């Protein structure tokens, strides 16, 4: 249903139909089932960054509503480390320094803060690991009950982390898509705090763009390399850099260079086909479990963001992901395979000219190797021996 007349000030927007909804409603999707975003915001200046707050909440002036009592565990302000990668200098953004070990804490902090403001007392979330442990932690901090649905085969370390925070964990038979379907069914009775659906999650992730801008002396990188499953880092960077561009704080958007594992690359398949619609692709299990999403909720929006930036996509073979995990560890960076997929794509993008000599490239490493302890143990076990 289209809201008429348009709602003044920030509101929820269904980009597919043009429908708008009041931002004070605790909704997570449109009336017709489409995902929502927040209407365009004006961005902020460097003077509006609250430098006295050492967390992502230093950028609270960029959020669409006032959240005076945020649910925060100190997320954000993660290191940006310059390293050599095959003869080129790149900046690795170490998002695993977030409280639960992944970038998801950016989105979760803002989403749970908004839900507590609405008086939500119980939520469900579906996740292959990092999103679930993040929602579990912030619900614990907020005094909100959480039930986390995970696909069978999820990393035991991630399941353990959610349970440690006090969340109820429900293992769903089947793959990631089966888990999402079950969460949608349960959302008829319990509020769905989905990191893939909720528009305020993206408002939190956009602080990654603001933080890179501040890290680099209030300038934008030329390119940002990241990995995509559902694509929240892509959409968050698009939101943040678009706001900075609109505010006149940067002169152009960074190119968004986005990697998916070749075994599960629905976004890359559509990108290569020159369409926003899903196209057939071959699926196989991947070591990068956090990206094993065959039908991303925001499929066309993610592709639109990449193209708007003049960016590119790459499908990364499994052996290249494994090699990148080892290569990162050899330089002191312990990244889980999902995260290392972005690093593995650096060479592919450089060979195509999407990463150029002399430019500033930021590579987002989304999660710690500690989140995939079993997989990492297998990769680093001594020849024929026990990894201990």
């Amino acid at each position: 249903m289209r809201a008429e007349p348009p709602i003044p000030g920030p509101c929820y927007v269904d980009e597919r139909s043009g429908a708008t909804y009041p931002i004070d409603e605790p909704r997570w999707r449109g009336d017709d089932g489409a995902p929502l975003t927040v209407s365009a915001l004006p961005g902020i200046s460097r003077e509006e960054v609250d430098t006295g707050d050492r967390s992502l909440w230093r950028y609270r002036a960029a959020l669409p509503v006032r959240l005076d009592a945020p649910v925060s565990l100190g997320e954000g302000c993660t290191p940006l480390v310059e390293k050599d990668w095959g003869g080129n200098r790149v900046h690795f953004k170490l998002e695993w320094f977030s409280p639960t070990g992944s970038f998801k804490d950016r989105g979760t902090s803002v989403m749970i803060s908004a839900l507590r403001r609405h008086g939500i007392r119980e939520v469900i979330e579906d996740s292959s690991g990092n999103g679930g442990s993040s929602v579990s932690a912030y619900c614990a901090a907020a005094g909100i009950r959480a039930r986390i649905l995970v696909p069978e085969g999820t990393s035991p370390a991630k399941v353990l982390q959610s349970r440690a925070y006090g969340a109820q964990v429900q293992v769903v038979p089947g793959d990631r898509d089966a888990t999402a379907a079950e969460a949608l069914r349960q959302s008829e009775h319990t509020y769905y705090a989905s990191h893939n659906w909720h528009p305020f999650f993206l408002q939190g992730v956009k602080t990654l763009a603001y933080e890179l801008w501040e890290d680099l002396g209030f300038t934008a990188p030329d390119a940002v390399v990241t990995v995509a499953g559902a694509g929240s880092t892509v959409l968050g960077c698009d939101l943040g850099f678009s706001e900075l561009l609109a505010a006149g704080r940067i002169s152009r958007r960074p190119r968004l260079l986005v990697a998916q594992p070749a075994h599960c690359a629905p976004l890359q398949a559509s990108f290569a086909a020159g369409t926003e619609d899903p196209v057939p692709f071959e699926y196989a299990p991947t070591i990068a479990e956090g990206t094993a999403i065959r039908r991303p909720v925001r499929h066309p929006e993610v592709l639109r963001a990449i193209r708007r930036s003049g960016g590119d996509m790459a499908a990364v073979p499994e052996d290249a992901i494994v090699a990148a995990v080892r290569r990162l560890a050899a330089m002191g960076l312990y990244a889980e395979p999902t995260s290392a997929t972005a690093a593995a794509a650096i060479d592919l993008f450089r060979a195509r000219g999407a990463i150029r000599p002399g430019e500033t490239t930021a590579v987002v490493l989304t999660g710690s190797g500690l989140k995939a302890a079993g997989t990492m143990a297998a990769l680093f076990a001594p020849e024929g021996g026990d990894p201990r």
Side-chain angles (χ1 to χ4, degrees), residues 25 60 77 84 97 110 121 230 250 259 293 303 357 371 373:
E25 294 180 359
R60 71 175 70 210
C77 294
D84 179 84
F97 278 85
V110 174
R121 305 304 304 160
I250 60 176
I293 299 174
L303 292 168
K371 305 298 286 284

Side-chain angles (χ1 to χ4, degrees), residues 119-132:
I120 302 296
R121 305 304 304 160
E122 181 178 6
V123 302
I124 58 170
E125 152 78 323
D126 64 296
S127 169
S128 59
N130 285 335

Side-chain angles (χ1 to χ4, degrees), residues 3 33 52 78 133 182 287 296 321 337 377:
T78 59
S133 54
E182 175 62 17
I287 194 172
I321 297 172

Side-chain angles (χ1 to χ4, degrees), residues 55-57 63 67 69-76 99 103-116 134-135 138-139 142 200-201 203-205 207:
S55 76
L56 68 78
W57 292 93
L63 297 176
L67 295 168
V71 182
S72 177
L73 297 171
E75 57 292 320
F103 84 97
K104 295 269 192 342
D105 292 344
R106 291 183 183 273
T108 304
S109 178
V110 174
M111 176 178 69
I112 296 299
S113 296
L115 296 185
R116 186 170 71 172
S134 183
V135 169
Y138 284 84
C139 281
F200 268 79
F201 186 88
Q203 289 295 306
V205 178
T207 64

Side-chain angles (χ1 to χ4, degrees), residues 297-316:
V297 168
R298 301 179 186 269
H299 189 113
E301 289 81 9
V302 174
L303 292 168
R304 210 170 294 141
I306 297 168
R307 292 184 173 120
R308 180 162 47 240
S309 75
D312 197 2
M313 294 199 72
V316 183

Side-chain angles (χ1 to χ4, degrees), residues 349-362:
F349 288 128
R350 186 168 51 210
R352 298 178 190 174
I355 292 177
R356 301 160 192 166
E359 291 190 337
T360 300
T361 300

